[in-house]
Amino acid sequence: MAAYTGSGDADRDSDTSRDTGTDTTGERTEGAARRHEAVRAAVEQGLVGPSTPLVALLDTTGIRASVAALRGAFDAVTAPGTPVLHAFAVKATPLVPVLRLLHREGIGMEVASPGELALARAAGAPPSRTVLDSPAKTPSELREALALGIAVNADNPQELTRIDALVGSASTRSPLGLRVNPQVGGGSIGALSTATATSKFGVALRDEGAREWVVRAYLDRPWLTRLHTHSGSQGMPLELMARGVAEVYALAEEINERAGHRRIDTLDIGGGLPVNFGSDAHTPTYEEYARLLASTVPGLFDGRYGLVTEFGRSLLAKHGVVLARVEYAKSAGGRAIAVTHAGVQVAARTVYAPESWPLRVAAYDAKGRPKSGPDVVQDVAGPACFAGDLLAEGRSMPLLEQGDYAAALDTGAYYFAHHYGYNSLARPAVHGFGPDGAGGVRFATVRAAQTIDELVAESGGAYTEALTDGAPVRPD
């Protein structure tokens, strides 16, 4: 296969089945057209079919467009010469070729574990453009980050004490900061809301004595030069996100005033821009968010502070497709059911919390062409052995028949890269796609499909007799 190496919570309505790419805005129309061509080409080129009934696709043209939109939005409101690092939240799509593409496009990396750091380094991301955030960093993780010169945001007073000892014992080039929770409230998805009164992240700024403790922490540590918050998340209103940033900006101003000089020189405002899962529209936009921040916190962009952002889902989600072959078409209780190979193993959030994480599902025929015809209320089911394994329930869309394809849209982040091993279902292959220069589509393997042998090895296949020969003796 040829490698391709080209250089709010808004609108989450349930009727998301039909997607013909005929919207009036160019962005959504072009994205849908690229998807249609990629699905057809994937079928024609044999990336998906009877023997490979599940595959994931990534639109590299769309990813580059999102990167350009992010950079352009913040450039438009930021004083010239201001240091700005847009760091991708690696947890959103932890695939080395994706990280490499983003790195080549000028994006840094935000990591939250040794594994994510290893992926970022494998992709070529330099320490100077990497940020380590985590509520549970070990001493060895901190020691490695400080030795490499990676930026570190401490989560709590105990972690800051650990960093005190490390900084005292060895010099470091790492920019160091502290994460605070502005406690401005949550969004519509409680499990993702990071700025609630009881969030596990950061120093709770409104708790009794906390603000003064934070100020004193900076006054006592001349090497503490950054301040970090992350108030955004899926389901979070932009206005509440901006309020969280405003709270942290005010805190930075207070610290600098009390220090008598610019002790804090960089504000890390996190990410969390919501994604619209209801249509092809990219809403809300980076431009809308940047303009809102500029009007809410004008001093943020006047050049006195360097900026770091940590967007993840909003850069990748709209550019991914999980394409699954319909193995069987049946009915029960008068309801049509398409049984596919995409379910809880690739869309755990959607299956277990469909109200919070609905996915659009588009219907394609056996040749990979968008299906037409009257809408039929139907379920799109996955292969796992429990009744709730449904990508979509009671969805109105052209009838899916045996041999057709169901495409789960907006799955470029937190879906096919976060496999859930229910029923020992193997991880699907991931392919990036882009133009081949001759009017067609060229694919590049991002991750090969997991083989059955690899699955067995991952499940302890090398230790078959571990609990029999030489195992601890069972008590009589």
Side-chain angles (χ1 to χ4, degrees):
M1 184 187 309
Y4 170 64
T5 56
S7 22
D9 200 37
D11 301 327
R12 294 193 313 172
D13 39 281
S14 60
D15 187 12
T16 55
S17 57
R18 191 179 301 268
D19 177 24
T20 61
T22 57
D23 302 275
T24 55
T25 58
E27 179 183 44
R28 68 181 78 174
T29 302
E30 292 172 7
R34 289 195 302 269
R35 180 174 66 247
H36 295 331
E37 286 300 306
V39 170
R40 178 192 54 76
V43 174
E44 290 180 352
Q45 296 181 31
L47 294 183
V48 65
S51 62
T52 309
L54 179 64
V55 72
L57 307 175
L58 270 174
D59 178 2
T60 58
T61 300
I63 293 171
R64 288 189 174 92
S66 285
V67 169
L70 168 60
R71 297 175 63 139
F74 278 80
D75 286 349
V77 298
T78 304
T82 302
V84 178
L85 173 64
H86 296 298
F88 176 67
V90 171
K91 59 183 172 289
T93 310
L95 297 170
V96 172
V98 172
L99 305 183
R100 181 67 170 179
L101 171 63
L102 293 171
H103 166 59
R104 287 287 184 88
E105 294 295 309
I107 299 296
M109 299 294 148
E110 185 268 334
V111 301
S113 73
E116 290 185 358
L117 175 56
L119 296 179
R121 297 187 72 187
S128 61
R129 297 181 63 79
T130 303
V131 181
L132 173 62
D133 294 317
S134 165
K137 306 181 198 73
T138 66
S140 62
E141 291 173 49
L142 291 169
R143 191 175 298 109
E144 179 185 22
L146 296 185
L148 291 171
I150 290 169
V152 176
N153 290 314
D155 179 81
N156 55 70
Q158 292 177 352
E159 184 181 342
L160 195 57
T161 298
R162 284 181 172 176
I163 295 175
D164 282 334
L166 293 170
V167 169
S169 63
S171 62
T172 179
R173 304 183 308 278
S174 293
L176 299 171
L178 179 67
R179 178 171 182 168
V180 298
N181 170 14
Q183 295 174 294
V184 294
S188 63
I189 306 176
L192 293 191
S193 297
T194 60
T196 62
T198 57
S199 170
K200 73 178 186 180
F201 295 105
V203 177
L205 200 53
R206 297 183 183 181
D207 283 14
E208 184 177 356
R211 190 182 189 94
E212 181 59 29
W213 180 88
V214 170
V215 173
R216 178 51 55 187
Y218 279 86
L219 297 180
D220 292 344
R221 295 170 176 83
W223 43 264
L224 205 55
T225 60
R226 291 188 172 190
L227 189 60
H228 171 47
T229 191
H230 183 105
S231 55
S233 68
Q234 185 66 23
M236 190 77 163
L238 295 190
E239 292 74 17
L240 209 53
M241 291 172 59
R243 191 187 309 169
V245 174
E247 293 279 348
V248 172
Y249 171 81
L251 176 60
E253 293 282 272
E254 178 183 345
I255 291 169
N256 286 344
E257 181 178 355
R258 289 180 59 176
H261 63 279
R262 193 179 63 162
R263 175 61 54 82
I264 295 174
D265 60 24
T266 300
L267 295 177
D268 183 336
I269 63 173
L273 187 73
V275 168
N276 157 38
F277 285 96
S279 77
D280 273 328
H282 290 237
T283 57
T285 66
Y286 292 120
E287 181 180 14
E288 290 168 342
Y289 184 44
R291 286 183 175 179
L292 177 61
L293 286 174
S295 63
T296 305
V297 201
L300 182 68
F301 298 111
D302 64 11
R304 290 179 299 121
Y305 293 100
L307 293 175
V308 178
T309 71
E310 300 174 355
F311 296 103
R313 178 183 293 107
S314 55
L315 277 170
L316 267 293
K318 305 299 288 185
H319 309 304
V321 178
V322 173
L323 187 63
R325 190 171 188 270
V326 177
E327 195 67 44
Y328 301 107
K330 56 191 293 187
S331 66
R335 174 79 59 83
I337 303 171
V339 180
T340 79
H341 291 269
V344 71
Q345 87 278 29
V346 292
R349 283 177 168 174
T350 293
V351 169
Y352 287 128
E355 298 83 6
S356 296
W357 298 102
L359 280 178
R360 295 183 293 148
V361 178
Y364 291 86
D365 67 19
K367 293 184 177 181
R369 302 170 301 192
K371 290 205 76 170
S372 58
D375 283 353
V376 175
V377 176
Q378 59 196 292
D379 294 346
V380 182
C385 293
F386 68 100
D389 186 28
L390 301 172
L391 280 182
E393 184 175 8
R395 190 69 57 84
S396 294
M397 58 192 299
L399 183 65
L400 285 166
E401 301 171 284
Q402 187 176 36
D404 286 344
Y405 292 93
L409 310 183
D410 308 324
T411 47
Y414 295 104
Y415 278 89
F416 50 73
H418 295 74
H419 192 80
Y420 177 40
Y422 203 103
N423 279 148
S424 295
L425 293 164
R427 289 186 292 272
V430 181
H431 301 284
F433 67 86
D436 66 1
V441 178
R442 183 161 49 180
F443 294 97
T445 299
V446 173
R447 182 188 67 198
Q450 185 182 31
T451 67
I452 295 301
D453 286 345
E454 289 170 340
L455 192 152
V456 171
E458 188 177 86
S459 301
Y463 309 100
T464 302
E465 301 297 343
L467 302 181
T468 53
D469 293 350
V473 177
R474 184 176 59 190
D476 292 333

